[in-house]
């Protein structure tokens, strides 16, 4: 009676051609700018009219009474879920039948799509790869852990479209109220705005997560999105920058936009002065809690697209940060920001360009607070912030350093030009510093490279300090030892640059620092008097036992060791070093297959203990895996 005898949507073939078969072949999921076809068996002498908004379609005879219908969604069609209806006129009668629904996604394989990526290896990595790596730690000791994006898991596509539906109010009342889904720029803005609502991003100062899940225990985006969806779109507790950036990467890849997670080490978070981060220390070297925080690392998302709004003719990486960061006007997410505009200092070209520029070019200033509430500036470094930005390499488990995409190499004239134009500072306010030769290597190593070009006033202060004494931490690493004796061994190097004896008193301290820069308890402190002869270099060993710091470890097991000279001796000198205490892995080996499981207990160390090799049958292998899984849950 309907006039249609049979319909074959040809889902397996269409999904394979459109590179969407990873979602499964039971649904019609296609990419725009590329045709898909289906077959219909209808009575003879019938005229077919497929009904679909904003698409071109055609039909031709495939077999007697069987036609092949090809539908071509243009490369600028809105993404989302569509209903396909077929209208048939036969013998003066008109019939209409709903053939079902199908999904339209962005197409990085189509040259006419703004998200087009011309490298197949890059498409496989940034669109099709469900497994990634998050990089954490500090810039001198980078740690990593796997993350499962799971953009092709069951139900994730519907959840991603639900996120777009929930974010429709973002463009409500604007001229793009109904057509923003065809533009990856506006889609990314909505996703960036909405991802923060999927998780409660917190930097818990007391490590109290009794009302939710610990933010660092997540290892994939799928449980977060499923919990958000099943919980009536309420925020999932708790998350942090790494999980937020990874969830956004999952949503963007699911929608067809090439994306990746980027980690920046030494990330400043300042409310008052975005171009300067201030940390305050007392006379013992203890880091006092102030308004500014220097995050040890921060993660955000990069997505590939051509920006028509800024006249880009081809695609490039755009920075999107879903983590709400405090600004002078409250908390806000940033992006999309063209990565190249950050490097070139074109702050007025893009969304929130000034925020991202300040995050990777901010100064790091240290202040010493004395008993009389007087504060003395002890150092000002232009090098630490944004000194290393990395992401997972294409087709490899190693990381790729992309710092050069965000900022020019320190010392280049072109970097100084862009920095001065962005900061609105004149060139004559800067002058070079002389280089002091190290006595042992005779190379320019006594003065860090970031001290070679400083403001004129600060330059005089640094010279006066260096002419008296220069001190630094030479080495900071954990030596190989047993689990019961994981002591932190440091070598503290002192060098007298004068031709006369010098005696100074130094205060040493160590305290736990969260990844977000919040100082925790000061668990160790000491003081030492040092006398140096003319031009003498002295190496002083420093040892912090595991019994002193083990019970205080939290988050990423980061401790900060500070050495500061006593202010009563005159000039103030200060050096510091962040130390990451490794967690040993547990390696389970079964018939030459190795499975690495990270032990989540706060046991430091830089070695692992492989379990003995054991040849087992299938039942024994299953038994071993069950025990290992139970052991892993017990540790969590």
């Amino acid at each position: 009676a309907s006039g249609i005898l049979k319909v074959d949507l040809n889902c397996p073939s269409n999904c394979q051609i459109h590179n969407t078969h990873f979602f499964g072949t039971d649904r019609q999921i296609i990419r725009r700018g590329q045709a898909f076809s289906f077959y219909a068996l209808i009575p003879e002498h019938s005229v077919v009219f497929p009904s679909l908004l904003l698409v071109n379609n055609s039909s031709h005879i495939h077999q007697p009474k069987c036609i092949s219908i090809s539908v071509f969604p243009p490369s600028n069609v809105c993404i989302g879920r569509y209903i396909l209806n077929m209208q048939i006129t036969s013998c003066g009668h008109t019939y209409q039948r709903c053939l079902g629904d199908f999904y339209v996604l962005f197409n990085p394989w189509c040259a006419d799509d703004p998200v087009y990526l011309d490298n197949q290896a890059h498409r496989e990595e940034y669109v099709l790869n469900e497994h990634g790596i998050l990089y954490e730690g500090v810039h001198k000791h980078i740690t990593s852990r796997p993350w499962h994006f799971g953009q092709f898991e069951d139900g994730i596509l519907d959840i991603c479209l639900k996120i777009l539906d929930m974010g429709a109010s973002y463009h409500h009342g604007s001229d793009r109220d109904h057509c923003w889904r065809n533009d990856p720029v506006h889609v990314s803005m909505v996703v960036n705005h909405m991802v923060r609502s999927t998780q409660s991003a917190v930097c818990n100062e007391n490590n109290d997560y009794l009302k939710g899940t610990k933010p660092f225990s997540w290892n994939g985006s799928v449980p977060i999105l499923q919990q958000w969806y099943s919980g009536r779109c309420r925020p999932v507790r708790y998350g942090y920058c790494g999980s937020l950036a990874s969830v956004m990467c999952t949503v963007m890849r699911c929608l067809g936009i090439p994306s990746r997670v980027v980690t920046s080490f030494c990330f400043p978070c300042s409310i008052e002065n975005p171009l300067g981060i201030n940390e305050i220390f007392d006379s013992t070297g203890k880091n006092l809690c102030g308004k500014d925080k220097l995050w040890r690392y921060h993660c955000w998302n990069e997505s590939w697209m051509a920006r028509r709004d800024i006249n880009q003719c081809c695609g490039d990486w755009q920075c999107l940060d879903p983590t709400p960061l405090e600004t002078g006007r409250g908390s806000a997410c940033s992006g999309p920001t063209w990565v190249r505009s950050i490097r070139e200092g074109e702050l007025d070209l893009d969304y929130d360009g000034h925020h991202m520029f300040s995050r990777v070019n901010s100064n790091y200033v240290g202040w010493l607070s004395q008993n009389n509430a007087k504060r003395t500036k002890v150092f000002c470094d232009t090098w630490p912030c944004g000194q290393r930005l990395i992401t997972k390499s294409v087709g490899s488990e190693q990381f790729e350093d992309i710092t050069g995409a965000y900022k020019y190499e320190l010392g280049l004239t072109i970097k100084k030009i862009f920095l001065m134009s962005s900061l609105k500072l004149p060139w004559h306010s800067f002058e070079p510093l002389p280089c002091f030769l190290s006595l042992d290597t005779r190379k320019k190593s006594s003065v860090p490279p970031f001290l070679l070009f400083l403001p004129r006033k600060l330059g005089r202060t640094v010279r006066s300090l260096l002419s008296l004494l220069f001190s630094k931490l030479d080495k900071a690493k954990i030596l190989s030892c047993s689990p019961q004796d994981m002591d932190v061994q440091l070598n503290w190097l002192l060098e007298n640059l004068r031709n006369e004896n010098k005696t100074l008193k130094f205060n040493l301290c160590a305290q736990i620092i969260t990844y977000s820069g919040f100082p925790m308890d000061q668990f160790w402190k000491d003081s030492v008097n040092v006398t140096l002869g003319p031009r003498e270099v002295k190496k002083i060993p420093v040892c912090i036992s595991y019994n002193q710091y083990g019970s205080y470890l939290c988050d990423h097991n980061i401790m900060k060791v500070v050495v500061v000279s006593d202010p009563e001796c005159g000039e103030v000198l200060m050096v510091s070093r962040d130390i990451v205490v490794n967690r040993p892995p547990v390696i389970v080996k079964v018939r030459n297959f190795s499975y690495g499981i990270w032990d989540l207990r706060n046991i430091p160390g830089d070695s692992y203990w492989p379990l003995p090799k054991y040849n087992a049958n299938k039942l024994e292998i299953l038994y071993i895996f069950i025990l290992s899984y139970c052991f892993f849950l017990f540790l969590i």
Side-chain angles (χ1 to χ4, degrees):
S2 64
I4 302 177
L5 303 180
K6 185 179 181 181
V7 174
D8 181 8
L9 294 180
N10 199 24
C11 291
S13 178
N14 289 326
C15 291
Q16 187 73 33
I17 295 174
H18 287 255
N19 297 285
T20 59
H21 55 284
F22 302 99
F23 288 103
T25 59
D26 56 334
R27 295 185 298 174
Q28 192 80 287
I29 303 176
I30 56 96
R31 301 188 186 274
R32 64 185 194 176
Q34 189 174 348
F36 68 97
S37 60
F38 60 94
Y39 307 112
L41 184 63
I42 62 175
E44 295 181 359
H45 310 295
S46 300
V47 181
V48 182
F49 300 96
S51 177
L52 179 65
L53 182 63
L54 293 177
V55 300
N56 300 322
N57 55 76
S58 62
S59 61
H60 61 275
I61 299 299
H62 182 69
Q63 290 178 358
K65 297 184 180 181
C66 182
I67 64 171
S68 172
I69 302 175
S70 179
V71 181
F72 181 82
S75 59
N76 61 348
V77 71
C78 294
I79 65 168
R81 177 175 170 266
Y82 287 83
I83 302 296
L84 181 61
N85 294 320
M86 176 176 287
Q87 181 177 309
I88 299 178
T89 301
S90 178
C91 300
H93 298 279
T94 300
Y95 308 94
Q96 187 170 343
R97 176 178 174 181
C98 178
L99 303 184
D101 58 357
F102 67 98
Y103 299 81
V104 178
L105 306 178
F106 291 107
N107 192 355
W109 283 265
C110 177
D112 296 329
D113 199 306
V115 302
Y116 172 65
L117 191 58
D118 61 355
N119 190 304
Q120 176 61 22
H122 288 190
R123 288 192 292 256
E124 292 178 357
E125 178 66 41
Y126 301 133
V127 180
L128 303 181
N129 191 2
E130 291 190 89
H131 304 281
I133 296 178
L134 295 186
Y135 297 99
E136 302 170 343
V138 297
H139 71 283
K140 291 187 177 180
H141 186 87
I142 299 175
T143 60
S144 63
R145 63 189 185 98
W147 187 273
H148 179 61
F149 294 114
Q151 65 267 30
F152 301 119
E153 294 289 334
D154 292 340
I156 296 300
L157 178 56
D158 294 317
I159 295 176
C160 293
L161 295 179
K162 178 65 174 180
I163 291 176
L164 296 185
D165 294 338
M166 295 286 293
S169 60
Y170 186 83
H171 290 288
H172 181 68
S174 67
D175 56 352
R176 302 194 61 85
D177 193 3
H178 301 289
C179 61
W180 58 269
R181 290 200 186 197
N182 71 334
D183 188 353
V185 175
H186 291 272
V187 169
S188 65
M189 293 173 63
V190 171
V191 174
N192 194 29
H193 173 75
M194 285 300 301
V195 163
R196 65 176 292 188
S197 68
T198 62
Q199 282 190 289
S200 297
V202 296
C203 299
N204 200 316
E205 300 169 357
N206 299 319
N207 289 317
D208 183 11
Y209 304 108
L210 297 179
K211 296 182 180 181
T213 304
K214 291 183 179 180
F216 307 105
S217 64
W218 301 106
N219 60 5
S221 305
V222 176
I224 298 174
L225 291 172
Q226 290 176 341
Q227 185 173 338
W228 174 80
Y229 187 74
S230 61
R232 298 182 180 180
C233 305
R234 289 191 295 266
V236 177
R237 296 179 177 178
Y238 291 99
Y240 75 114
C241 63
S243 60
L244 287 171
S246 300
V247 169
M248 181 170 186
C249 185
T250 296
V251 176
M252 299 293 275
R253 289 186 181 184
C254 182
L255 298 178
I257 302 177
S259 299
R260 64 187 184 184
V261 178
V262 174
T263 301
S264 174
F265 295 94
C266 295
F267 186 83
C269 186
S270 176
I271 301 176
E272 298 178 352
N273 181 15
L275 289 174
I277 182 76
N278 299 284
E279 283 199 338
I280 305 172
F281 303 85
D282 63 11
S283 58
T284 66
K286 181 180 179 180
N287 191 337
L288 305 178
C289 182
K291 296 181 179 180
D292 297 349
K293 298 292 187 298
L294 183 64
W295 292 19
R296 269 43 191 176
Y297 71 90
H298 181 61
C299 299
W300 62 75
N301 190 82
E302 278 187 359
S303 295
W304 181 275
M305 65 188 73
R307 300 282 302 278
R308 310 303 190 201
D309 56 327
I310 56 176
N311 299 322
Q312 282 186 354
C313 59
C314 57
D316 205 346
W317 289 112
Q318 315 293 329
C319 175
L320 293 140
D321 191 353
T323 303
L325 298 176
E326 293 295 330
T327 63
R329 299 179 180 178
S331 62
C333 304
S334 61
T337 305
W338 188 17
V339 172
R340 182 179 176 183
S341 69
I342 300 174
R343 184 183 64 177
E344 304 298 339
E346 299 173 352
L347 308 186
D348 299 329
L349 178 65
D350 220 335
Y351 302 100
D352 305 318
H354 56 287
H355 287 306
M356 293 307 302
F357 179 87
S358 63
R359 305 299 185 188
V360 297
N361 291 286
S362 180
N363 292 331
Y364 175 45
V365 184
W367 299 85
L368 182 65
S369 178
Q370 302 181 26
N371 295 331
N372 56 4
K374 177 183 177 182
R375 292 184 179 179
T376 304
K377 183 186 292 186
V378 292
F379 62 83
C380 179
D381 298 345
T382 59
W383 172 240
C385 298
Q387 61 179 288
R388 197 169 194 183
L389 294 96
I390 62 175
T391 187
K392 180 182 177 298
S393 298
V394 176
S396 171
E397 301 297 326
Q398 305 299 321
F399 65 79
E400 175 187 358
D401 194 319
I402 59 172
T403 308
Y406 281 83
K407 55 193 299 184
Y408 286 100
E409 184 179 354
L410 188 69
L412 293 181
T413 303
I414 191 171
K415 171 179 173 56
K416 300 170 188 176
I417 294 175
F418 288 124
L419 187 59
M420 293 308 101
S421 63
S422 301
L423 300 181
K424 302 297 188 296
L425 295 179
W427 267 93
H428 59 76
S429 63
F430 283 73
E431 65 176 8
L433 278 175
C435 297
F436 293 87
L437 296 179
S438 174
L439 294 180
D440 52 353
T441 62
R442 313 305 297 177
K443 294 182 180 180
K444 298 178 181 180
S445 59
S446 294
V447 181
F450 52 81
L451 295 180
L452 300 181
F453 199 80
L454 296 175
R456 186 182 301 274
K457 182 177 180 181
L458 178 60
R460 295 194 185 99
T461 304
V462 174
R463 276 199 297 273
S464 64
L465 296 181
L466 292 177
S467 63
L468 174 67
L469 181 69
F470 177 76
S471 65
K472 67 178 181 179
L473 283 176
D474 182 45
K475 293 182 179 179
K477 64 179 182 179
I478 299 176
L479 303 180
S480 299
C481 49
S482 62
Q484 293 78 19
D485 189 25
M486 292 293 185
D487 298 340
V488 175
Q489 305 287 343
L490 305 175
N491 285 323
W492 174 31
L493 184 66
L494 293 171
E495 180 180 357
N496 188 359
L497 302 180
R498 278 194 159 187
N499 295 321
E500 60 185 33
N501 294 334
K502 189 63 185 178
T503 300
L504 286 177
K505 179 182 178 181
F506 289 92
N507 297 321
L508 299 84
C509 83
Q511 63 186 131
I512 299 299
I513 300 292
T514 65
Y515 93 100
S516 58
F518 185 83
M520 304 292 283
D521 298 328
Q522 182 186 38
F523 60 85
W524 175 82
K525 61 180 179 179
D526 196 3
S527 61
V528 59
N529 294 314
V530 180
T531 300
L532 294 174
R535 301 287 180 176
E536 182 183 359
V537 178
K538 182 177 292 186
K539 183 181 294 186
I540 302 176
V542 178
C543 179
I544 305 176
S545 66
Y546 174 73
N547 293 332
Q548 292 176 306
Y549 72 82
S551 59
Y552 294 91
L553 293 175
C554 65
D555 281 356
H556 296 81
N557 296 344
I558 302 175
M559 71 173 69
K560 187 179 187 68
V561 179
V562 179
V563 180
V564 59
S565 62
D566 196 318
E568 297 180 357
C569 297
E571 302 286 357
V572 179
L573 300 174
M574 177 182 292
V575 289
S576 63
R577 172 64 61 87
D578 288 343
I579 301 172
V580 178
V581 181
N582 290 331
R583 295 188 180 110
V586 175
I587 306 297
V588 179
K589 291 186 177 182
V590 180
R591 287 190 176 180
N592 298 326
F593 289 94
S594 176
Y595 301 88
I597 303 176
W598 286 96
D599 189 348
L600 300 180
R601 295 175 299 175
N602 292 327
I603 301 179
D606 56 359
S607 60
Y608 63 89
W609 305 280
L611 297 178
K613 186 176 180 181
Y614 178 72
N615 294 325
N617 56 36
K618 293 182 179 180
L619 291 178
E620 292 174 330
I621 292 175
L622 179 62
Y623 180 69
I624 292 175
F625 274 114
I626 294 175
L627 289 179
S628 301
Y629 182 72
C630 296
F631 178 68
F632 179 74
L633 294 178
F634 173 76
L635 293 179
I636 295 180

